[in-house]
Amino acid sequence: MPRLPFKTTLMTCLSALALVHCAPETETADPPITAEKAAQFMADAEQTLAENSEFSSHVSWVNANFITYDTNWLKARVGAQVKAEAVRLANATKQFQGLDLPPELRRKMDMLRGRITIPAPEKPGAAQELSGITTSLSTTYSTGKGTYQGAVTPGVDLEELMATVRSDAALKEMWTSWREISKPMKSEYARMVEIANEGARELGYGDVGQMWRSGYDMDPDAFVAMVERLWSDVAPLYEELHCYVRAELSGHYGADVVPQEGPIPAHVLGNMWAQQWGNIYELIAPEEAGAPFDGTVVLQEAGYDALKMVQAGEAFFSSLGFDPLPQTFWERSLITKPQDREVVCHASAWNIDDEDDIRIKMCTKVNADDFQTVHHELGHNYYQRAYKAKDYLYRTGANDGFHEAIGDMIGLSVTPEYMVQIGLLDAADVPPAEADLGLLLQSALDKVAFLPFGLLIDKWRWQVFSGAVSPDDYNEAWWALRTRYQGVVPPVDRPGDAFDPGAKYHIPGNTPYMRYFLARILQFQFHKTACDMVGWEGPLHRCSIYGSAAVGEAFNAMLELGASKPWPDALEAFTGTREMDATALLEYYAPVADFLNKENAGRSCGW
Ligand code: X8Z
Ligand code: ZN
């Protein structure tokens, strides 16, 4: 008797529930599950995901560029469809568990199962509810406003003001008013956690946090251990920086605003989230460091606008031998904030069709922070283009930390000497060697101060997803981590209904954050390797790889791998090592560490 086709056999059992119990109609009804079938399943799945991704990217792009009731509706609807399909395919990988598959196919199965950031369970309606919530959370964030001197002010403007305003009262007002936007998010967020955890468990993970930690080609517990090792290597440097900054800020603001001991209030660090502190350099600059080098002034005096900033970023990549950005990049990107509509201002880089339709979306301001961000975003785009020929599941970073580190690594080469090379700065204005300490300290305020912030965001989410922290304790747990790792506290008592995590883009946006911690470590490994390649012998922070085709070629060899190999292979291809480690970062900042140790002698550090 001929074998019945699989589908016909299944059709005889009417409900999914009955399916489990009903006997096959014929002895041969269950077709054998073979490695060939698994390979075909994977090829089909990749094709489906690629098509869905292109479709939903266009819809998401329109939504992020024109936030309205209707584009939210479309985004939620398409998001639900695409999520439901991704979940169906992810769950379908279970039929191949236990089958002896070629290692590459097994790895792809794991990727297919584990790559949904916020998974839904398969039960009807779950993907719709989840997609409705995530769309609503994002919109609440992106259309949120705070106040400055009583005037209603969009988030992107508050961000800029937090960098330059020095009045304790005005900073407190902006800081506090911005955190009003997230109060209404809390119940939706809690519901999202509930549904997504159900989805993760259906897929075989303990919870969403464990699912996220499983995306690193290693055991999730080993990943946690690696992160802890990296943090313990850099924490002493952070503590010294904290100690010095606290003392200087206390001198500036007075001990009633910034006490000489204990944590620092979070509103005086030059950033809405106290995540990077470079903007307060002038308040803490040591006298012997000379006049501060102000990248914002350099850009503004050279007459740069947002477009010119992006063109300069492109020119850097071109100097390494990368092809110019396609014409469509310039036609389709959003580079400045439109005045007539709501958009998602938080910077992002997109590849709409997984081929050449790359774009950025940024409400760019002409300042040094955004010049770095331009390079950061372009790094995403060049990476996306480098791996476009790979299979769908491999069209992503070796791990997500790599993706965040590419543009940052280029940004480390935006030195004063480089600025002279591109005509942005006069040679006479290059800070002399005596100014090295100042330059480096300024850089440490951004890069080193970020480390505990980069670490704690997902420590909080891991606790939330695991249930260790329940909705009633969301805010307390958030501040416990902010205090423990960063040594910062809220400048005012937080009300019982506050949901301060929601006032940071990546929480309502559901972007995993450990990637940025990893990127802060990796970018220095990349930079050191590249500087060795060009034969650089001076201090690492003065090294620029601008114009090195040799570095470009070696770098591209890593980029074009995408995720086709486990990340240690990709790391080894460029740096020769298989470990992420903080040695290069510590070497880069060694002179700052010496300075801080001397300055802090006699101070009681810590909090
Ligand atoms: O979100 C970003 C990028 C987009 S991937 C602008 N970053 C983190 C943040 O802003 O919090 C870059 C540095 C950290
Ligand atoms: Zn990024």
Side-chain angles (χ1 to χ4, degrees), residues 37-65:
K37 277 211 159 52
Q40 188 57 51
F41 163 83
M42 184 54 72
D44 294 346
E46 287 191 282
Q47 194 184 337
T48 303
L49 291 177
E51 285 167 12
N52 286 354
S53 156
E54 185 176 5
F55 181 48
S56 71
S57 294
H58 280 285
V59 173
S60 298
W61 177 267
V62 174
N63 178 231
N65 281 271

PDB file of all heavy atoms in Angstrom, residues 37-65:
ATOM      1  N   LYS A  37      14.858  15.788   5.313  1.00  0.00           N
ATOM      2  CA  LYS A  37      13.635  16.559   5.591  1.00  0.00           C
ATOM      3  C   LYS A  37      13.976  17.799   6.419  1.00  0.00           C
ATOM      4  O   LYS A  37      13.423  18.878   6.209  1.00  0.00           O
ATOM      5  CB  LYS A  37      12.647  15.690   6.372  1.00  0.00           C
ATOM      6  CG  LYS A  37      11.822  14.796   5.510  1.00  0.00           C
ATOM      7  CD  LYS A  37      10.440  14.580   6.153  1.00  0.00           C
ATOM      8  CE  LYS A  37       9.414  14.129   5.149  1.00  0.00           C
ATOM      9  NZ  LYS A  37       9.823  12.964   4.351  1.00  0.00           N
ATOM     10  N   ALA A  38      14.881  17.599   7.367  1.00  0.00           N
ATOM     11  CA  ALA A  38      15.275  18.728   8.220  1.00  0.00           C
ATOM     12  C   ALA A  38      15.917  19.826   7.379  1.00  0.00           C
ATOM     13  O   ALA A  38      15.641  21.016   7.576  1.00  0.00           O
ATOM     14  CB  ALA A  38      16.247  18.253   9.306  1.00  0.00           C
ATOM     15  N   ALA A  39      16.735  19.432   6.418  1.00  0.00           N
ATOM     16  CA  ALA A  39      17.410  20.424   5.578  1.00  0.00           C
ATOM     17  C   ALA A  39      16.388  21.172   4.720  1.00  0.00           C
ATOM     18  O   ALA A  39      16.463  22.399   4.558  1.00  0.00           O
ATOM     19  CB  ALA A  39      18.456  19.749   4.700  1.00  0.00           C
ATOM     20  N   GLN A  40      15.405  20.438   4.196  1.00  0.00           N
ATOM     21  CA  GLN A  40      14.373  21.085   3.383  1.00  0.00           C
ATOM     22  C   GLN A  40      13.527  22.033   4.226  1.00  0.00           C
ATOM     23  O   GLN A  40      13.208  23.150   3.815  1.00  0.00           O
ATOM     24  CB  GLN A  40      13.481  20.003   2.724  1.00  0.00           C
ATOM     25  CG  GLN A  40      12.495  20.561   1.709  1.00  0.00           C
ATOM     26  CD  GLN A  40      13.198  21.353   0.594  1.00  0.00           C
ATOM     27  OE1 GLN A  40      14.143  20.861  -0.017  1.00  0.00           O
ATOM     28  NE2 GLN A  40      12.762  22.594   0.362  1.00  0.00           N
ATOM     29  N   PHE A  41      13.190  21.539   5.435  1.00  0.00           N
ATOM     30  CA  PHE A  41      12.428  22.383   6.365  1.00  0.00           C
ATOM     31  C   PHE A  41      13.178  23.701   6.612  1.00  0.00           C
ATOM     32  O   PHE A  41      12.593  24.793   6.580  1.00  0.00           O
ATOM     33  CB  PHE A  41      12.220  21.630   7.690  1.00  0.00           C
ATOM     34  CG  PHE A  41      11.825  22.511   8.840  1.00  0.00           C
ATOM     35  CD1 PHE A  41      10.494  22.898   9.029  1.00  0.00           C
ATOM     36  CD2 PHE A  41      12.786  22.981   9.747  1.00  0.00           C
ATOM     37  CE1 PHE A  41      10.130  23.726  10.086  1.00  0.00           C
ATOM     38  CE2 PHE A  41      12.426  23.812  10.801  1.00  0.00           C
ATOM     39  CZ  PHE A  41      11.101  24.183  10.972  1.00  0.00           C
ATOM     40  N   MET A  42      14.474  23.581   6.821  1.00  0.00           N
ATOM     41  CA  MET A  42      15.266  24.780   7.123  1.00  0.00           C
ATOM     42  C   MET A  42      15.303  25.726   5.926  1.00  0.00           C
ATOM     43  O   MET A  42      15.147  26.945   6.078  1.00  0.00           O
ATOM     44  CB  MET A  42      16.690  24.366   7.529  1.00  0.00           C
ATOM     45  CG  MET A  42      17.574  25.510   7.951  1.00  0.00           C
ATOM     46  SD  MET A  42      16.859  26.541   9.267  1.00  0.00           S
ATOM     47  CE  MET A  42      16.998  25.437  10.672  1.00  0.00           C
ATOM     48  N   ALA A  43      15.482  25.172   4.728  1.00  0.00           N
ATOM     49  CA  ALA A  43      15.525  26.036   3.541  1.00  0.00           C
ATOM     50  C   ALA A  43      14.199  26.780   3.387  1.00  0.00           C
ATOM     51  O   ALA A  43      14.172  27.996   3.123  1.00  0.00           O
ATOM     52  CB  ALA A  43      15.828  25.196   2.304  1.00  0.00           C
ATOM     53  N   ASP A  44      13.087  26.072   3.592  1.00  0.00           N
ATOM     54  CA  ASP A  44      11.771  26.711   3.480  1.00  0.00           C
ATOM     55  C   ASP A  44      11.596  27.778   4.559  1.00  0.00           C
ATOM     56  O   ASP A  44      11.071  28.863   4.311  1.00  0.00           O
ATOM     57  CB  ASP A  44      10.642  25.671   3.615  1.00  0.00           C
ATOM     58  CG  ASP A  44      10.641  24.684   2.440  1.00  0.00           C
ATOM     59  OD1 ASP A  44      11.316  24.973   1.428  1.00  0.00           O
ATOM     60  OD2 ASP A  44       9.975  23.625   2.558  1.00  0.00           O
ATOM     61  N   ALA A  45      12.025  27.419   5.777  1.00  0.00           N
ATOM     62  CA  ALA A  45      11.861  28.351   6.897  1.00  0.00           C
ATOM     63  C   ALA A  45      12.647  29.630   6.631  1.00  0.00           C
ATOM     64  O   ALA A  45      12.142  30.748   6.836  1.00  0.00           O
ATOM     65  CB  ALA A  45      12.338  27.702   8.201  1.00  0.00           C
ATOM     66  N   GLU A  46      13.853  29.486   6.142  1.00  0.00           N
ATOM     67  CA  GLU A  46      14.676  30.683   5.892  1.00  0.00           C
ATOM     68  C   GLU A  46      14.031  31.566   4.821  1.00  0.00           C
ATOM     69  O   GLU A  46      14.054  32.786   4.913  1.00  0.00           O
ATOM     70  CB  GLU A  46      16.101  30.287   5.501  1.00  0.00           C
ATOM     71  CG  GLU A  46      16.887  29.755   6.704  1.00  0.00           C
ATOM     72  CD  GLU A  46      18.367  29.589   6.424  1.00  0.00           C
ATOM     73  OE1 GLU A  46      18.739  28.594   5.775  1.00  0.00           O
ATOM     74  OE2 GLU A  46      19.145  30.459   6.859  1.00  0.00           O
ATOM     75  N   GLN A  47      13.437  30.910   3.835  1.00  0.00           N
ATOM     76  CA  GLN A  47      12.796  31.700   2.781  1.00  0.00           C
ATOM     77  C   GLN A  47      11.582  32.463   3.340  1.00  0.00           C
ATOM     78  O   GLN A  47      11.392  33.654   3.086  1.00  0.00           O
ATOM     79  CB  GLN A  47      12.370  30.806   1.625  1.00  0.00           C
ATOM     80  CG  GLN A  47      12.023  31.642   0.413  1.00  0.00           C
ATOM     81  CD  GLN A  47      11.506  30.813  -0.756  1.00  0.00           C
ATOM     82  OE1 GLN A  47      11.783  29.613  -0.848  1.00  0.00           O
ATOM     83  NE2 GLN A  47      10.763  31.461  -1.628  1.00  0.00           N
ATOM     84  N   THR A  48      10.792  31.757   4.150  1.00  0.00           N
ATOM     85  CA  THR A  48       9.622  32.405   4.758  1.00  0.00           C
ATOM     86  C   THR A  48      10.054  33.580   5.633  1.00  0.00           C
ATOM     87  O   THR A  48       9.492  34.675   5.567  1.00  0.00           O
ATOM     88  CB  THR A  48       8.855  31.381   5.636  1.00  0.00           C
ATOM     89  OG1 THR A  48       8.503  30.285   4.796  1.00  0.00           O
ATOM     90  CG2 THR A  48       7.635  31.980   6.273  1.00  0.00           C
ATOM     91  N   LEU A  49      11.053  33.336   6.469  1.00  0.00           N
ATOM     92  CA  LEU A  49      11.492  34.400   7.381  1.00  0.00           C
ATOM     93  C   LEU A  49      12.028  35.600   6.607  1.00  0.00           C
ATOM     94  O   LEU A  49      11.787  36.756   6.969  1.00  0.00           O
ATOM     95  CB  LEU A  49      12.575  33.878   8.334  1.00  0.00           C
ATOM     96  CG  LEU A  49      12.108  32.858   9.372  1.00  0.00           C
ATOM     97  CD1 LEU A  49      13.289  32.374  10.198  1.00  0.00           C
ATOM     98  CD2 LEU A  49      11.044  33.447  10.302  1.00  0.00           C
ATOM     99  N   ALA A  50      12.764  35.328   5.522  1.00  0.00           N
ATOM    100  CA  ALA A  50      13.331  36.436   4.733  1.00  0.00           C
ATOM    101  C   ALA A  50      12.212  37.273   4.125  1.00  0.00           C
ATOM    102  O   ALA A  50      12.244  38.505   4.162  1.00  0.00           O
ATOM    103  CB  ALA A  50      14.247  35.890   3.646  1.00  0.00           C
ATOM    104  N   GLU A  51      11.193  36.592   3.591  1.00  0.00           N
ATOM    105  CA  GLU A  51      10.077  37.338   2.985  1.00  0.00           C
ATOM    106  C   GLU A  51       9.332  38.151   4.054  1.00  0.00           C
ATOM    107  O   GLU A  51       9.012  39.320   3.851  1.00  0.00           O
ATOM    108  CB  GLU A  51       9.103  36.366   2.299  1.00  0.00           C
ATOM    109  CG  GLU A  51       9.660  35.831   0.991  1.00  0.00           C
ATOM    110  CD  GLU A  51       8.875  34.630   0.447  1.00  0.00           C
ATOM    111  OE1 GLU A  51       7.765  34.339   0.955  1.00  0.00           O
ATOM    112  OE2 GLU A  51       9.401  33.992  -0.485  1.00  0.00           O
ATOM    113  N   ASN A  52       9.085  37.507   5.191  1.00  0.00           N
ATOM    114  CA  ASN A  52       8.371  38.212   6.262  1.00  0.00           C
ATOM    115  C   ASN A  52       9.162  39.414   6.762  1.00  0.00           C
ATOM    116  O   ASN A  52       8.601  40.459   7.088  1.00  0.00           O
ATOM    117  CB  ASN A  52       8.105  37.263   7.440  1.00  0.00           C
ATOM    118  CG  ASN A  52       6.999  36.275   7.107  1.00  0.00           C
ATOM    119  OD1 ASN A  52       6.365  36.382   6.057  1.00  0.00           O
ATOM    120  ND2 ASN A  52       6.771  35.325   7.994  1.00  0.00           N
ATOM    121  N   SER A  53      10.465  39.206   6.844  1.00  0.00           N
ATOM    122  CA  SER A  53      11.303  40.278   7.376  1.00  0.00           C
ATOM    123  C   SER A  53      11.270  41.491   6.443  1.00  0.00           C
ATOM    124  O   SER A  53      11.168  42.638   6.887  1.00  0.00           O
ATOM    125  CB  SER A  53      12.727  39.749   7.564  1.00  0.00           C
ATOM    126  OG  SER A  53      13.644  40.794   7.545  1.00  0.00           O
ATOM    127  N   GLU A  54      11.325  41.252   5.147  1.00  0.00           N
ATOM    128  CA  GLU A  54      11.303  42.370   4.203  1.00  0.00           C
ATOM    129  C   GLU A  54       9.974  43.133   4.311  1.00  0.00           C
ATOM    130  O   GLU A  54       9.948  44.360   4.388  1.00  0.00           O
ATOM    131  CB  GLU A  54      11.515  41.857   2.775  1.00  0.00           C
ATOM    132  CG  GLU A  54      11.614  42.996   1.783  1.00  0.00           C
ATOM    133  CD  GLU A  54      11.933  42.537   0.365  1.00  0.00           C
ATOM    134  OE1 GLU A  54      11.986  41.314   0.134  1.00  0.00           O
ATOM    135  OE2 GLU A  54      12.122  43.401  -0.495  1.00  0.00           O
ATOM    136  N   PHE A  55       8.899  42.372   4.376  1.00  0.00           N
ATOM    137  CA  PHE A  55       7.582  42.994   4.463  1.00  0.00           C
ATOM    138  C   PHE A  55       7.440  43.795   5.761  1.00  0.00           C
ATOM    139  O   PHE A  55       7.085  44.977   5.772  1.00  0.00           O
ATOM    140  CB  PHE A  55       6.503  41.914   4.357  1.00  0.00           C
ATOM    141  CG  PHE A  55       5.093  42.431   4.411  1.00  0.00           C
ATOM    142  CD1 PHE A  55       4.702  43.507   3.622  1.00  0.00           C
ATOM    143  CD2 PHE A  55       4.154  41.849   5.246  1.00  0.00           C
ATOM    144  CE1 PHE A  55       3.396  43.994   3.668  1.00  0.00           C
ATOM    145  CE2 PHE A  55       2.846  42.330   5.296  1.00  0.00           C
ATOM    146  CZ  PHE A  55       2.472  43.401   4.506  1.00  0.00           C
ATOM    147  N   SER A  56       7.758  43.148   6.872  1.00  0.00           N
ATOM    148  CA  SER A  56       7.542  43.838   8.147  1.00  0.00           C
ATOM    149  C   SER A  56       8.532  44.991   8.324  1.00  0.00           C
ATOM    150  O   SER A  56       8.226  45.972   8.996  1.00  0.00           O
ATOM    151  CB  SER A  56       7.602  42.862   9.321  1.00  0.00           C
ATOM    152  OG  SER A  56       8.905  42.433   9.521  1.00  0.00           O
ATOM    153  N   SER A  57       9.700  44.905   7.693  1.00  0.00           N
ATOM    154  CA  SER A  57      10.648  46.028   7.804  1.00  0.00           C
ATOM    155  C   SER A  57      10.096  47.274   7.123  1.00  0.00           C
ATOM    156  O   SER A  57      10.250  48.384   7.632  1.00  0.00           O
ATOM    157  CB  SER A  57      11.991  45.683   7.167  1.00  0.00           C
ATOM    158  OG  SER A  57      12.608  44.656   7.885  1.00  0.00           O
ATOM    159  N   HIS A  58       9.475  47.097   5.969  1.00  0.00           N
ATOM    160  CA  HIS A  58       8.881  48.264   5.297  1.00  0.00           C
ATOM    161  C   HIS A  58       7.804  48.888   6.184  1.00  0.00           C
ATOM    162  O   HIS A  58       7.725  50.114   6.327  1.00  0.00           O
ATOM    163  CB  HIS A  58       8.254  47.858   3.949  1.00  0.00           C
ATOM    164  CG  HIS A  58       9.266  47.726   2.839  1.00  0.00           C
ATOM    165  ND1 HIS A  58       9.845  48.811   2.230  1.00  0.00           N
ATOM    166  CD2 HIS A  58       9.804  46.631   2.250  1.00  0.00           C
ATOM    167  CE1 HIS A  58      10.695  48.397   1.289  1.00  0.00           C
ATOM    168  NE2 HIS A  58      10.688  47.078   1.280  1.00  0.00           N
ATOM    169  N   VAL A  59       6.965  48.033   6.777  1.00  0.00           N
ATOM    170  CA  VAL A  59       5.890  48.555   7.629  1.00  0.00           C
ATOM    171  C   VAL A  59       6.483  49.237   8.869  1.00  0.00           C
ATOM    172  O   VAL A  59       6.073  50.342   9.245  1.00  0.00           O
ATOM    173  CB  VAL A  59       4.918  47.420   8.030  1.00  0.00           C
ATOM    174  CG1 VAL A  59       3.897  47.914   9.046  1.00  0.00           C
ATOM    175  CG2 VAL A  59       4.217  46.867   6.791  1.00  0.00           C
ATOM    176  N   SER A  60       7.469  48.591   9.484  1.00  0.00           N
ATOM    177  CA  SER A  60       8.080  49.181  10.687  1.00  0.00           C
ATOM    178  C   SER A  60       8.753  50.500  10.353  1.00  0.00           C
ATOM    179  O   SER A  60       8.733  51.444  11.141  1.00  0.00           O
ATOM    180  CB  SER A  60       9.124  48.238  11.284  1.00  0.00           C
ATOM    181  OG  SER A  60       8.502  47.046  11.678  1.00  0.00           O
ATOM    182  N   TRP A  61       9.379  50.554   9.185  1.00  0.00           N
ATOM    183  CA  TRP A  61      10.044  51.804   8.766  1.00  0.00           C
ATOM    184  C   TRP A  61       9.027  52.944   8.652  1.00  0.00           C
ATOM    185  O   TRP A  61       9.231  54.036   9.170  1.00  0.00           O
ATOM    186  CB  TRP A  61      10.769  51.587   7.437  1.00  0.00           C
ATOM    187  CG  TRP A  61      11.402  52.851   6.923  1.00  0.00           C
ATOM    188  CD1 TRP A  61      10.851  53.756   6.069  1.00  0.00           C
ATOM    189  CD2 TRP A  61      12.688  53.373   7.285  1.00  0.00           C
ATOM    190  NE1 TRP A  61      11.714  54.803   5.856  1.00  0.00           N
ATOM    191  CE2 TRP A  61      12.848  54.603   6.590  1.00  0.00           C
ATOM    192  CE3 TRP A  61      13.716  52.922   8.126  1.00  0.00           C
ATOM    193  CZ2 TRP A  61      14.003  55.374   6.705  1.00  0.00           C
ATOM    194  CZ3 TRP A  61      14.868  53.705   8.231  1.00  0.00           C
ATOM    195  CH2 TRP A  61      14.997  54.905   7.536  1.00  0.00           C
ATOM    196  N   VAL A  62       7.922  52.651   7.997  1.00  0.00           N
ATOM    197  CA  VAL A  62       6.899  53.690   7.837  1.00  0.00           C
ATOM    198  C   VAL A  62       6.370  54.109   9.207  1.00  0.00           C
ATOM    199  O   VAL A  62       6.235  55.296   9.506  1.00  0.00           O
ATOM    200  CB  VAL A  62       5.736  53.197   6.932  1.00  0.00           C
ATOM    201  CG1 VAL A  62       4.605  54.219   6.900  1.00  0.00           C
ATOM    202  CG2 VAL A  62       6.246  52.950   5.519  1.00  0.00           C
ATOM    203  N   ASN A  63       6.140  53.135  10.069  1.00  0.00           N
ATOM    204  CA  ASN A  63       5.640  53.441  11.408  1.00  0.00           C
ATOM    205  C   ASN A  63       6.634  54.309  12.190  1.00  0.00           C
ATOM    206  O   ASN A  63       6.261  55.299  12.810  1.00  0.00           O
ATOM    207  CB  ASN A  63       5.353  52.130  12.158  1.00  0.00           C
ATOM    208  CG  ASN A  63       4.867  52.349  13.581  1.00  0.00           C
ATOM    209  OD1 ASN A  63       5.396  51.765  14.516  1.00  0.00           O
ATOM    210  ND2 ASN A  63       3.861  53.186  13.765  1.00  0.00           N
ATOM    211  N   ALA A  64       7.914  53.941  12.124  1.00  0.00           N
ATOM    212  CA  ALA A  64       8.926  54.682  12.891  1.00  0.00           C
ATOM    213  C   ALA A  64       9.154  56.080  12.328  1.00  0.00           C
ATOM    214  O   ALA A  64       9.651  56.959  13.023  1.00  0.00           O
ATOM    215  CB  ALA A  64      10.242  53.895  12.906  1.00  0.00           C
ATOM    216  N   ASN A  65       8.789  56.285  11.054  1.00  0.00           N
ATOM    217  CA  ASN A  65       8.965  57.595  10.421  1.00  0.00           C
ATOM    218  C   ASN A  65       7.705  58.460  10.425  1.00  0.00           C
ATOM    219  O   ASN A  65       7.773  59.654  10.133  1.00  0.00           O
ATOM    220  CB  ASN A  65       9.418  57.427   8.968  1.00  0.00           C
ATOM    221  CG  ASN A  65      10.905  57.114   8.884  1.00  0.00           C
ATOM    222  OD1 ASN A  65      11.718  58.026   8.815  1.00  0.00           O
ATOM    223  ND2 ASN A  65      11.254  55.845   8.925  1.00  0.00           N
TER     224      ASN A  65
END
